[in-house]
Amino acid sequence: NRNAMDPTSTVQAQNAYTARVDHNIGQNNFFWFRISGSLQYKNASGGRPALPQSQEFRARNIGMSYVHTFGASSVLQAQFGTSKFVTPLDRNFTTVDTSFFKQQGFADSMTSNFIENKRIDPSMNVTDWFANGGYYTYNRPSDDKQYKVNFSKVHGSHIIKAGWDLASTDNQLNIALAQATFTTLQTAAPQSTGTTGSALASYLLGLPDTAGRRNTIETMRWGGVMGMYIQDQWKATPKLTINYGLRYDRNFIPPFGREEDNNMYTGSIDFNRGVYVLLKAPPSCAVAKTAPCLPSGSLPDHVELSPTGKITKDPTKQFQPRLGLAYRVRPATVIRASAGIVFDNWSGVQQASRNYAGMWPSIGFVSVSNLNPANAVASTKATDPLPSGVIPAATPFLVTGYYLAPDWKNAYSVQYNFGLQHQVGSSTVLSATYVGSGTHRLDVGGLYNVATTPGPGTASLRYPYPYIVPQNYTRPWGNASYQSLQLMADGRFTRGLTYRFSYTWAKSIDTGSSGFFGAEDYSVQNPYNIGEDRSVSGFDLTHVFSASWVYQLPFGTGKALQTGNKAADYIIGNWQFNGITLLRSGAPFNLTVTGDLANTGNTNYLRPNVVGDWHLSNRSPAAWFKTSAFDTPPYYTFGNAGRNVMRADWMRNFDLSVFRQFPLKGDRSKLELRAEAFNTFNTPCYSAPTANRSSGDFGKIFSTANAARQLQLSLKLIF
């Protein structure tokens, strides 16, 4: 099977600095200023030998704060912060020169005319074998700013707080790549696409399944989030404290493109109406001679101009009430409960704006899929898989892109909890808390405008809009539910020992909308009925136990056990043992089958049929489950296996460390020797197995989810 080894070393350097000034201005004013910076370099493998990848990270952060007190009852604080960063990344082969790929017959669309005249070697991605090739990104200096003003006042039994904040975001990215992906489909038997074929054979024959090119300047106009809140902490009785308040956020989604970058000639599809909304109309191709331009000189059918120069509307109704209660039943026992609504103002917002970069009538982003299907004569070679020329296609509906529903809105969560805390003795607090949430308007991605039902014949005739090929389309239709019981024992530092033990029993369920920006895009079989795929989330962890402790041994001068001999106490004293233990359930993973057996025009969505019991009494990396329990579904049907029905290996990790302090002359300074072991027992926890029923490695594991044991020695001077 996979016996390749990449000997490329990883070299990483990290440099950081911080400087801060604190200043009291009289008795009622306090000011601080801080500047921090980071410079990091990393040279490592880009995925294969002779494919090095170099990356930098240069960042600077400035923060300042001013506090003014109005007597003993009121405080005003104003804050400002700004961050700037640059993260260039470059990757190319070192064993060939710039002319190699052209000599092999690759078209200019795969090798040439990239931004900044960068060399980009085409990436050949072979499923289950290897991936990656040339790639370049450059984050031009981005400038994020944040302003905050908070005011609090004590009035009788009330502590009233109010505030305002504004956070602006800025992202400017140049990106260049060209790639072709190979799967089993191109060499599969037409009647058995789910179990035959070889991705490596498809590669050796030069028959890709998908291909794409990205050559874009991705910039955004101003955007961010403005928020305000008011809250009252009311001590209603000596035993009862009530917190209640309201927050409001106004989200300004950053529109794509800037006039000075000449990249606003792009748009997005609205599948509510079957139209393409264009930000700005370019000149005719007869005049411009090259993209961006209009091939016919005017807008084609089903294409319209945005009246606002934006594609996505800003969500404005983001009111978030909050309520919290704390009731002291006894001196050592407290009941706590709270509920509130929380909006996700940031996740996916920048990515949504970036997705429009280079789309029609520009040609900076080109993506084609379903090339060389198993039931057709192979016609597209990996050397020239993309549309050629410098003029865009006649319409924006013939190539695949990444689009966002125009009615997209921020996800929000209704969160609630109820808990009991009880102090045992003088140093231990026990707590038990029920925590739950219901989340709505989550992102669901994947291909849309596929056939509404499986069936024979031409799938495009069953598309809602037959003139549009299926598109990656993110819509705010997902929902999720989380329920958990959380237990914790927290021991304060007593007799040299402090500890924390926690256990969570939880269940998270959603509709194929787990992770950042709909990361489970292709786990939904039917995009028109996502409720059919409601199941455990991709990040669901049923059991999570963690324990951490710090123990200073009671030996030596001033400790419970001392000899009275200075030399002996110096030797046996000042030892400290620390540990962190993590035990948790395995994460779910989703089974798939290659090919559009349902004949809907979709890709990477299908799951197998369950035909037996998949459990094995002795699981191993060679066979994590009984593969014969799954079969490819018949043509024109979806698979009956549920989403995320199986789990990977459970995680167990133990970190231990020993500290020894050596007091120096006068006991005003100390030298501390640290010996630390991460994954102390070198326990391998396996990653998820190959989950594609069509792969020859189905059910096998080739990697671990944790790192091998790492030992670290360090010396610290405290003075």
Side-chain angles (χ1 to χ4, degrees):
N1 290 316
R2 308 180 192 181
N3 60 355
M5 180 174 290
D6 186 348
T8 308
S9 60
T10 297
V11 179
Q12 184 168 345
Q14 302 182 50
N15 303 281
Y17 64 87
T18 295
R20 172 169 167 155
V21 176
D22 295 76
H23 182 58
N24 288 311
I25 308 171
Q27 294 183 344
N28 297 333
N29 299 282
F30 172 69
F31 173 80
W32 62 256
F33 173 87
R34 175 190 45 76
I35 181 170
S36 302
S38 176
L39 177 59
Q40 301 180 24
Y41 300 91
K42 184 176 181 180
N43 296 317
S45 171
R48 278 180 274 175
L51 183 62
Q53 176 174 292
S54 62
Q55 184 172 18
E56 295 181 20
F57 182 87
R58 303 192 295 270
R60 187 189 68 194
N61 174 265
I62 294 175
M64 60 183 72
S65 173
Y66 168 73
V67 177
H68 177 74
T69 58
F70 301 87
S73 63
S74 302
V75 178
L76 173 70
Q77 182 178 30
Q79 295 175 290
F80 170 75
T82 178
S83 294
K84 292 187 177 183
F85 61 92
V86 180
T87 57
L89 183 153
D90 211 337
R91 183 176 71 209
N92 270 310
F93 290 100
T94 57
T95 53
V96 295
D97 59 28
T98 56
S99 64
F100 173 80
F101 287 96
K102 284 193 174 183
Q103 293 172 357
Q104 302 307 311
F106 279 86
D108 287 345
S109 59
M110 296 290 284
T111 61
S112 305
N113 303 318
F114 288 102
I115 52 177
E116 303 178 32
N117 295 316
K118 296 295 294 185
R119 170 191 171 181
I120 306 294
D121 296 337
S123 178
M124 300 288 105
N125 307 320
V126 185
T127 303
D128 290 337
W129 289 86
F130 53 83
N132 297 338
Y135 183 75
Y136 171 74
T137 62
Y138 176 68
N139 278 86
R140 293 187 287 168
S142 298
D143 191 359
D144 299 335
K145 293 182 172 66
Q146 188 171 18
Y147 309 82
K148 281 189 174 185
V149 177
N150 295 290
F151 176 78
S152 64
K153 181 177 180 59
V154 178
H155 180 71
S157 59
H158 298 266
I159 301 178
I160 301 172
K161 297 181 179 181
W164 171 90
D165 59 76
L166 174 65
S168 64
T169 180
D170 178 40
N171 192 350
Q172 306 177 61
L173 177 68
N174 296 353
I175 182 170
L177 65 92
Q179 59 85 25
T181 299
F182 304 84
T183 71
T184 60
L185 281 176
Q186 287 59 54
T187 47
Q191 300 303 315
S192 304
T193 56
T195 54
T196 60
S198 164
L200 185 61
S202 300
Y203 165 71
L204 295 174
L205 292 172
L207 303 177
D209 179 60
T210 64
R213 171 186 168 97
R214 202 157 202 143
N215 189 40
T216 56
I217 298 175
E218 302 176 4
T219 56
M220 294 179 290
R221 285 164 275 168
W222 186 89
V225 178
M226 181 183 69
M228 58 191 72
Y229 74 91
I230 184 168
Q231 175 186 307
D232 180 17
Q233 182 178 318
W234 174 32
K235 195 168 184 61
T237 72
K239 292 185 176 182
L240 176 63
T241 300
I242 302 174
N243 288 284
Y244 56 96
L246 178 67
R247 180 178 178 88
Y248 172 74
D249 286 328
R250 173 65 163 88
N251 198 309
F252 301 90
I253 297 178
F256 179 80
R258 296 180 182 177
E259 294 283 356
E260 58 267 32
D261 292 318
N262 196 36
N263 60 350
M264 291 183 62
Y265 302 111
T266 183
S268 177
I269 292 179
D270 177 358
F271 275 120
N272 295 328
R273 300 182 293 131
V275 299
Y276 187 84
V277 181
L278 191 61
L279 281 178
K280 183 179 179 180
S284 166
C285 290
V287 176
K289 305 300 183 183
T290 185
C293 61
L294 295 175
S296 62
S298 60
L299 299 180
D301 292 342
H302 311 294
V303 176
E304 61 185 43
L305 278 175
S306 167
T308 62
K310 299 172 63 176
I311 293 173
T312 307
K313 297 180 181 179
D314 295 337
T316 58
K317 298 178 181 179
Q318 299 187 166
F319 294 94
Q320 302 157 78
R322 314 283 171 82
L323 175 65
L325 306 172
Y327 181 70
R328 185 160 49 98
V329 181
R330 295 178 179 178
T333 305
V334 177
I335 294 175
R336 304 181 189 276
S338 65
I341 297 176
V342 180
F343 278 83
D344 183 355
N345 288 311
W346 295 103
S347 181
V349 171
Q350 288 189 346
Q351 184 63 50
S353 297
R354 289 179 50 205
N355 282 348
Y356 306 133
M359 305 303 295
W360 190 95
S362 299
I363 56 174
F365 177 83
V366 180
S367 177
V368 290
S369 59
N370 201 23
L371 304 173
N372 305 308
N375 57 357
V377 176
S379 59
T380 303
K381 301 292 287 186
T383 52
D384 191 15
L386 300 172
S388 59
V390 295
I391 303 299
T395 77
F397 304 121
L398 303 179
V399 295
T400 303
Y402 289 86
Y403 300 108
L404 189 75
D407 57 348
W408 181 86
K409 294 180 177 63
N410 302 79
Y412 71 93
S413 179
V414 181
Q415 302 180 359
Y416 44 88
N417 64 73
F418 177 84
L420 178 70
Q421 277 190 320
H422 180 69
Q423 182 171 328
V424 179
S426 61
S427 61
T428 299
V429 176
L430 304 178
S431 63
T433 308
Y434 167 74
V435 178
S437 68
T439 306
H440 308 275
R441 300 199 317 214
L442 284 169
D443 297 321
V444 178
L447 289 181
Y448 200 67
N449 196 50
V450 299
T452 54
T453 58
T458 304
S460 61
L461 299 179
R462 290 174 278 122
Y463 294 172
Y465 303 101
Y467 53 89
I468 307 177
V469 300
Q471 303 286 344
N472 295 285
Y473 195 61
T474 299
R475 52 268 186 205
W477 295 353
N479 58 76
S481 171
Y482 174 80
Q483 311 292 327
S484 69
L485 174 64
Q486 301 179 8
L487 307 176
M488 186 169 66
D490 202 350
R492 301 171 188 168
F493 193 78
T494 304
R495 296 181 179 178
L497 175 66
T498 182
Y499 61 86
R500 172 172 289 183
F501 299 99
S502 65
Y503 167 73
T504 300
W505 179 33
K507 180 67 67 177
S508 180
I509 298 174
D510 63 42
T511 52
S513 44
S514 300
F516 170 73
F517 213 45
E520 278 197 304
D521 288 353
Y522 294 102
S523 66
V524 174
Q525 292 193 117
N526 183 0
Y528 306 108
N529 188 1
I530 61 176
E532 292 180 350
D533 293 303
R534 183 175 174 83
S535 184
V536 294
S537 304
F539 52 79
D540 176 69
L541 300 174
T542 307
H543 305 283
V544 178
F545 172 80
S546 66
S548 61
W549 65 91
V550 173
Y551 183 50
Q552 293 183 352
L553 271 62
F555 305 121
T557 303
K559 299 297 177 63
L561 302 176
Q562 58 181 332
T563 66
N565 182 287
K566 288 186 177 181
D569 287 338
Y570 187 89
I571 294 173
I572 66 174
N574 299 301
W575 289 89
Q576 178 179 308
F577 286 85
N578 318 287
I580 300 175
T581 296
L582 173 65
L583 307 173
R584 66 163 174 80
S585 301
F589 62 90
N590 193 51
L591 300 176
T592 60
V593 174
T594 300
D596 182 19
L597 298 179
N599 194 33
T600 64
N602 206 342
T603 58
N604 304 324
Y605 66 98
L606 196 63
R607 292 195 291 272
N609 276 351
V610 180
V611 295
D613 181 6
W614 64 72
H615 295 91
L616 287 174
S617 56
N618 295 306
R619 297 188 301 181
S620 70
W624 194 248
F625 54 84
K626 190 180 297 183
T627 57
S628 60
F630 300 96
D631 200 359
T632 56
Y635 269 95
Y636 317 126
T637 64
F638 293 129
N640 64 20
R643 169 177 152 260
N644 289 338
V645 295
M646 306 192 73
R647 291 186 179 265
D649 193 16
W650 66 292
M651 177 67 69
R652 53 271 189 208
N653 188 77
F654 305 89
D655 298 335
L656 298 175
S657 62
V658 179
F659 295 178
R660 171 66 161 94
Q661 287 190 346
F662 299 90
L664 301 180
K665 186 177 181 180
D667 288 338
R668 299 187 61 182
S669 56
K670 301 175 182 178
L671 192 64
E672 184 176 75
L673 176 64
R674 299 181 172 205
E676 299 166 290
F678 304 95
N679 188 8
T680 306
F681 305 113
N682 205 29
T683 305
C685 300
Y686 300 113
S687 301
T690 302
N692 189 329
R693 177 65 181 83
S694 307
S695 171
D697 296 324
F698 185 50
K700 299 177 182 178
I701 297 174
F702 296 95
S703 62
T704 59
N706 62 338
R709 177 174 51 224
Q710 299 180 43
L711 302 178
Q712 178 173 290
L713 293 175
S714 61
L715 198 61
K716 183 177 182 180
L717 177 63
I718 304 169
F719 63 93

